[in-house]
């Protein structure tokens, strides 16, 4: 979910707000979809396969819209960087979900706007943080400490998984910074997404095969349905919707909706997977969300 900038953007209207609500609803279900069928297909295999499927679809769309090999070659260096960052993000998500809860992963993955804001402040002119945003960064880090504090409900495995969720958020932020700092800031969204999905598939599919996870996958009906949802709805349709909205509306206003993603993630994890919630996680997660709102508002 990376940002593209242009000179003119409209303010968010009712249509954009409704579509962003739908987008956050879908992304909030992402971790639950992965965790729910993890016993049939390991998370790393799910990420690899959905990236391969969605990558083919985005590639076809890019070709239809006039993107050719020379365009790919023109941006190959930053394209590789965002591809590696995207692969790292979802490798950490997949790895972390073997330890922690889907609700936890949803919250810690969405620390990305905090890390992105810090990186943009340091390396991109015109993106310096205001006093309010610095308060948001501070609150978010306090929230992380509270949410990850050991409690009687969770053991060390949960803390390891939560830490991997933070690394996933950091990787997501890194791809945003690369895009802002390179020629990809002016490249078509389909091209950037093609880099991300194709490199993720090329890296994770061999790993899944060599580790035996691909061969041991059980393609039950519910697992196939989940994989199809992830590939077609999350990795293809939802991300293309995000890029389309970014072309037409102000990114700063769209970003305010990002805090709904982890809220939906926690809700779905609790309702569909019966995941327990500790007091310190609820409190820390709430503080993190307040921090994200202050940074992205």
């Amino acid at each position: 979910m990376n940002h593209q900038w242009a000179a003119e953007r409209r303010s968010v209207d009712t249509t954009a707000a409704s579509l962003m609500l739908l987008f956050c609803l879908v992304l909030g279900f992402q971790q639950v979809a992965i965790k729910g069928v993890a016993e049939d297909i390991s998370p790393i295999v799910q990420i690899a396969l959905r990236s391969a499927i969605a990558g083919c679809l985005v590639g076809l769309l890019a070709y239809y819209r006039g993107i050719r090999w020379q365009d790919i070659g023109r941006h190959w260096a930053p394209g590789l960087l965002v591809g590696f960052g995207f692969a790292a993000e979802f490798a950490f998500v997949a790895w972390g979900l073997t330890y922690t809860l889907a609700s936890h992963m949803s919250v810690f993955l969405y620390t990305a706007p905090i890390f992105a804001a810090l990186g943009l402040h340091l390396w991109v002119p015109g993106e310096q943080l205001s006093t309010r945003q610095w308060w948001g960064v501070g609150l978010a880090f306090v929230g992380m400490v509270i949410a990850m504090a050991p409690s009687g409900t969770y053991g060390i495995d949960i803390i390891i998984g939560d830490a991997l969720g933070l690394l996933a958020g950091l990787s997501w932020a890194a791809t945003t910074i690369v895009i802002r700092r390179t020629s990809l800031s002016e490249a078509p969204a389909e091209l950037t997404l093609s880099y991300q999905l194709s490199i993720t598939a090329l890296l994770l599919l061999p790993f899944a095969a060599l580790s035996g996870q691909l061969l041991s996958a059980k393609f039950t009906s519910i697992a196939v349905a989940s994989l199809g949802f992830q590939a077609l709805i999350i990795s293809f349709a939802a991300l293309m919707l995000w890029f389309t909205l970014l072309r037409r509306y102000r990114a700063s206003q769209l970003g305010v909706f990002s805090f709904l993603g982890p809220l939906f993630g926690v809700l779905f994890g609790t309702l569909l997977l019966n995941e327990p919630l500790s007091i310190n996680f609820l409190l820390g997660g709430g503080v993190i969300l307040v921090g994200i709102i202050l940074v992205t508002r």
Side-chain angles (χ1 to χ4, degrees):
M1 219 169 38
N2 301 306
H3 297 157
Q4 304 290 328
W5 281 259
E8 295 294 334
R9 292 291 188 273
R10 286 185 283 170
S11 294
V12 170
D13 53 23
T14 303
T15 300
S18 300
L19 290 173
M20 276 302 298
L21 181 63
L22 177 62
F23 174 75
C24 292
L25 187 70
V26 169
L27 284 198
F29 192 72
Q30 176 178 221
Q31 274 61 249
V32 174
I34 297 173
K35 186 83 170 182
V37 296
E39 292 185 2
D40 295 324
I41 306 177
S42 71
I44 201 74
V45 173
Q46 293 183 57
I47 298 296
L49 291 177
R50 85 179 200 185
S51 298
I53 296 169
C56 291
L57 294 175
V58 173
L60 291 173
L61 180 62
Y63 185 83
Y64 174 77
R65 293 186 174 176
I67 296 174
R68 298 295 182 262
W69 283 109
Q70 55 266 34
D71 300 307
I72 297 175
R74 190 177 302 122
H75 305 282
W76 70 270
L80 286 177
L81 287 177
V82 298
F84 286 134
F86 195 77
E89 173 191 341
F90 282 101
F92 285 131
V93 168
W95 190 11
L97 283 173
T98 63
Y99 290 99
T100 193
L101 309 176
S103 54
H104 282 217
M105 183 58 68
S106 295
V107 170
F108 288 112
L109 177 61
Y110 274 87
T111 57
I114 304 300
F115 294 124
L118 287 172
L120 293 171
H121 174 84
L122 293 173
W123 295 306
V124 179
E127 291 285 354
Q128 280 59 53
L129 296 173
S130 66
T131 301
R132 185 200 73 241
Q133 290 173 313
W134 277 116
W135 274 105
V137 171
L139 279 175
F141 278 105
V142 169
M144 281 185 257
V145 172
I146 296 172
M148 294 182 68
S151 70
T153 308
Y154 306 131
I156 187 64
D157 283 356
I158 297 292
I159 297 176
I160 293 173
D162 291 349
L164 291 169
L166 281 177
L167 290 176
L170 184 61
S171 300
W172 180 1
T175 62
T176 300
I177 296 167
V178 169
I179 288 175
R180 282 302 314 271
R181 291 273 299 175
T182 66
S183 60
L184 285 177
S185 63
E186 302 300 329
E190 296 85 356
L191 182 60
T192 302
L193 191 53
S194 293
Y195 278 122
Q196 293 176 316
L197 293 170
S198 59
I199 291 175
T200 298
L202 289 172
L203 289 175
L204 298 188
L205 273 175
F207 175 80
L210 292 173
S211 63
Q213 297 180 65
L214 184 58
L215 292 176
S216 63
K218 301 174 184 176
F219 291 92
T220 61
S221 58
I222 190 171
V224 171
S226 174
L227 190 59
F229 171 81
Q230 293 178 55
L232 300 178
I233 304 302
I234 296 176
S235 294
F236 178 67
L239 291 181
M240 288 309 304
L241 170 63
W242 170 248
F243 282 126
T244 300
L245 290 173
L246 283 172
R247 284 198 188 102
R248 300 178 182 178
Y249 298 95
R250 295 177 182 173
S252 58
Q253 294 182 2
L254 292 174
V256 176
F257 288 86
S258 66
F259 78 95
L260 292 173
L263 288 179
F264 285 133
V266 172
L267 178 64
F268 290 141
T270 304
L271 294 180
L272 300 179
L273 299 180
N274 296 316
E275 294 183 343
L277 295 174
S278 68
I279 296 299
N280 63 308
F281 174 74
L282 288 173
L283 178 60
V287 175
I288 290 173
L289 292 178
V290 172
I292 291 173
I293 294 171
L294 289 176
V295 170
T296 61
R297 183 168 63 87

